[in-house]
Amino acid sequence: MTADVITIFPRLVEAVLAEGVLGRARARGIVEIRARDLRDYTDDRHRTVDDMPYGGGPGMVLKPEPLFRAVEAIAAERGAPSAVVLTSPQGVPLTHALAERLSHLDRLVVICGRYEGVDERVSQQLVTHEVSIGDYVLTGGELPALVLLDAVTRLVPGVVGDAESVAGDSFARGLLDHPQYTRPAVFRGTTVPDVLLSGHHAEIERWRRQARLQRTLERRPDLMETALLTADERRELDRLQGKAGTPPAAEAGAPPANRLLKERRDEGD
Ligand code: ADE
């Protein structure tokens, strides 16, 4: 996969992409990601990338010409892009499912938007996916572009060493993940649940399954609508929701509900 990020802050983007899992994947040639300076595609002395909005109002809007030129130059160099993504609070939400679809593409272009806006003709004629990373407004599209690239490239085969860790992402099936513990077994008076130290794999899996469902119900009940549940999870969910009557044997070792969330709920937040 190649990914080209069009930005007015190429050094910021490059600095993040040089580190960690993505940095290693780039060094090993599994993905080729480049930051492109939008100002390199301007044609005036001041390297102007934005202008005042028609109709008035605060802020500046990214001009269409440099963005079109940048994408056309990338297409001439690499071949037509498979997708041109614009990061914008007006976009569709970035989900695991969207990241998964994008991870199968050969040539990705990501345009970092600006919070004031991007000329609408860019969205209409150049962009294939307008994507938001959440219902809040950031000052620029660079961090969202990096979030998107991280979520997408870790799904490209070979990028994450342990394929099982990617395939087993709870989000791959629409659930939150279970709690994790490492040594020491007792830390400041809090003990790791006994079942995790038992070496009993079936019981451990059962505890984790229950914890994933409990957490998702507690923190993100909206996800339950679309989660892809196994038959075991479906049964466990029925039990948790009191539909099957028999409390699970592992209940005693189940993780405590998140105190903060619980308090918030009690306050009616
Ligand atoms: N640009 C500014 N805020 C954003 C957001 N929440 N998602 C994507 N791009 C953005």
Side-chain angles (χ1 to χ4, degrees), residues 52-81:
M52 289 178 299
Y54 275 121
M60 301 288 271
V61 175
L62 284 185
K63 290 163 65 59
E65 306 94 314
L67 286 168
F68 273 76
R69 253 187 240 120
V71 173
E72 282 158 9
I74 293 163
E77 196 181 308
R78 298 207 191 266

Side-chain angles (χ1 to χ4, degrees), residues 155-221:
L155 299 175
V156 172
V159 170
V160 171
D162 185 357
E164 211 179 286
S165 108
V166 172
D169 277 347
S170 59
F171 250 112
R173 290 187 300 107
L175 291 176
L176 302 187
D177 215 346
H178 54 76
Q180 297 278 18
Y181 293 89
T182 186
R183 283 182 287 190
V186 183
F187 175 71
R188 298 193 178 182
T190 307
T191 316
V192 173
D194 285 343
V195 61
L196 299 181
L197 309 176
S198 69
H200 195 304
H201 294 299
E203 279 303 314
I204 291 171
E205 189 34 54
R206 187 169 141 79
W207 182 90
R208 288 180 166 167
R209 183 165 62 234
Q210 185 187 344
R212 287 193 292 270
L213 290 164
Q214 199 168 300
R215 264 194 173 175
T216 310
L217 277 174
E218 171 101 7
R219 301 181 185 182
R220 293 292 307 277

Side-chain angles (χ1 to χ4, degrees), residues 87-89 115 131-134 136-138 140-141 144:
T87 55
S88 146
Y115 75 100
V131 177
S132 164
I133 63 159
Y136 41 81
V137 180
L138 302 167

Side-chain angles (χ1 to χ4, degrees), residues 3-14 17 33-44 46-50 62-63 65-74 77-78 109-112 114 142:
D4 291 275
V5 186
I6 303 172
T7 170
I8 55 169
F9 298 115
R11 279 177 305 159
L12 182 156
V13 170
E14 189 54 50
L17 293 174
I33 312 180
R34 257 185 74 181
R36 311 264 187 165
D37 188 344
L38 181 60
R39 294 190 197 281
D40 290 346
Y41 303 93
T42 56
D43 61 359
D44 65 314
H46 302 289
R47 297 172 36 103
T48 310
V49 293
D50 54 10
L62 284 185
K63 290 163 65 59
E65 306 94 314
L67 286 168
F68 273 76
R69 253 187 240 120
V71 173
E72 282 158 9
I74 293 163
E77 196 181 308
R78 298 207 191 266
V109 172
V110 183
I111 299 173
C112 302
R114 290 280 293 278
E142 280 70 20

